[in-house]
Amino acid sequence: MVRPPFPLTAADVVDDAPVIPVIVLEEVARAVPMARALVAGGIRMLEVTLRTPAALECIRAIAREVPEAVVGAGTARRSADVQAAARAGARFIVSPGYHPELGRACRGEGLALLPGVATASEIMAAGEDGFEVLKFFPASAAGGAALLQAWSGPFGDVRFCPTGGIHPGNAGQYLALPNVACVGGSWLTPARALAQGDWPAIEALAREAAALRPQPR
């Protein structure tokens, strides 16, 4: 694989593969073998969520020991989250919502940002600050593929990574939409596989995700 340039753009992040894994890690020891399994399966943009005390150390370990991976930090809510993630080695940021201060922090650190949106007003607010590649969250609860299809008219220049309620059974429906670049999902790194160190299972899930194709509409 060719390593993406530094700094990344949001387009670099969403165009790399059909799925960005949304990863919750409780133990640093799991981070590196998990990342290697995902990369071996063809998935290298890895969103490690800042939901656990171990998250920053997991990002640091992946950034240091798995150069083929491109690790980012998810669930970033404050500028302090962005700064801590940058120090740990994150190369992109994913947020559940958007605030201008978060955008300024990412620009200050040279990190790509996928800001979360769920309404037309939020899309417009992010667009006003120059962000046109967005995370749609929580996708299923907020209106799903039907809402994304409706947005393709007034927001034809915006691309989305829907996350929340996405799984192998419906991912192809989202990927078939012209304004969807990729999807985010937690199914690639199930808690049981992480706990058991079942890296072949995670590699197999990554391989299936990397091969996902849009379903006919």
Side-chain angles (χ1 to χ4, degrees), residues 30-45:
R30 307 290 183 186
V32 168
M34 176 216 66
R36 288 176 175 154
L38 289 168
V39 170
I43 300 293
R44 61 178 176 176
M45 297 289 170

Side-chain angles (χ1 to χ4, degrees), residues 83-177:
Q83 292 154 4
R87 289 194 295 271
R91 295 187 61 194
F92 65 93
I93 299 292
V94 184
S95 64
Y98 179 68
H99 187 277
E101 185 58 35
L102 199 65
R104 287 192 287 270
C106 287
R107 288 195 168 110
E109 297 291 346
L111 299 181
L113 171 63
L114 290 180
V117 299
T119 68
S121 295
E122 292 169 355
I123 295 171
M124 292 167 67
E128 192 68 21
D129 287 346
F131 295 99
E132 294 182 342
V133 180
L134 309 175
K135 169 182 173 176
F136 173 38
F137 175 81
S140 180
L147 183 55
L148 283 165
Q149 192 164 18
W151 279 345
S152 66
F155 302 115
D157 56 339
V158 180
R159 302 170 71 214
F160 296 94
C161 172
T163 304
I166 313 293
H167 53 77
N170 65 10
Q173 298 171 10
Y174 284 92
L175 292 169
L177 297 172

